[in-house]
């Protein structure tokens, strides 16, 4: 279940550099136990370039909705539970040789990370919370 963003929080966070948004993503995804992707009638939307596809992922549906523009226009946010992320999505992306575009902003800037790196960072955040 997503939480409510504070007034002005979306704009402030989207203005952060990609590395800072990545840290925000890790913390909030662990806290809320979910992440968000965008889906259209053809399935999950993808980012990337000619060399490699990346799966875009956000910590809250409002951030995903802010990026549903251009080629992603009409796509809607869909939750990805933390268990589903660990057990399904990350292994699948790794198997397919895909990266993750973590917390893209509407201008397309994101932190591009490997599935194993995101898994490690999420697990480290979980351990911090358990300590």
């Amino acid at each position: 279940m997503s939480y409510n963003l504070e007034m002005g929080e979306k704009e402030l966070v989207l203005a952060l550099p990609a590395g800072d948004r990545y840290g925000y993503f890790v913390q909030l995804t662990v806290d809320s136990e979910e992440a968000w992707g965008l889906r259209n009638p053809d399935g999950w939307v993808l980012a990337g370039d000619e060399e490699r596809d990346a799966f875009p992922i956000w910590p809250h549906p409002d951030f995903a909705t802010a990026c549903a523009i251009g080629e992603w226009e009409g796509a809607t946010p869909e939750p990805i539970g933390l268990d589903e992320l660990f057990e399904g999505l990350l292994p699948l992306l790794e198997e397919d040789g895909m990266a993750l575009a973590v917390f893209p902003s509407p201008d397309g800037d994101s932190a591009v990370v490997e599935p194993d790196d995101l898994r490690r960072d999420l697990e480290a955040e979980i351990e911090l919370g358990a300590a």
Side-chain angles (χ1 to χ4, degrees):
M1 187 73 156
S2 69
Y3 53 93
N4 291 322
L5 294 177
E6 301 283 327
M7 187 170 171
E9 182 177 359
K10 181 172 78 170
E11 294 76 16
L12 288 172
V13 173
L14 286 172
L16 293 172
D20 292 346
R21 288 195 319 275
Y22 179 78
Y24 185 94
F25 171 87
V26 169
Q27 181 180 10
L28 291 182
T29 297
V30 169
D31 288 349
S32 67
E33 297 184 4
E34 67 185 1
W36 293 80
L38 283 174
R39 287 186 75 101
N40 63 29
D42 298 325
W44 294 106
V45 301
L46 296 176
D49 53 31
E50 304 81 35
E51 296 178 23
R52 191 170 187 206
D53 284 331
F55 187 94
I57 194 166
W58 295 266
H60 190 279
D62 289 355
F63 295 120
T65 299
C67 295
I69 56 176
E71 65 183 63
W72 294 346
E73 190 167 343
T76 56
E78 187 163 315
I80 304 163
L82 198 55
D83 289 342
E84 181 183 350
L85 187 64
F86 279 126
E87 297 168 15
L89 184 61
L90 293 178
L92 179 64
L93 294 176
E94 186 171 16
E95 182 179 306
D96 289 347
M98 292 177 62
L100 290 109
V102 177
F103 207 157
S105 64
D107 68 9
D109 180 41
S110 67
V112 178
V113 298
E114 296 301 319
D116 270 355
D117 293 335
L118 181 58
R119 176 187 305 279
R120 180 199 64 231
D121 292 341
L122 290 169
E123 288 173 345
E125 182 69 22
I126 290 167
E127 287 298 314
L128 279 174

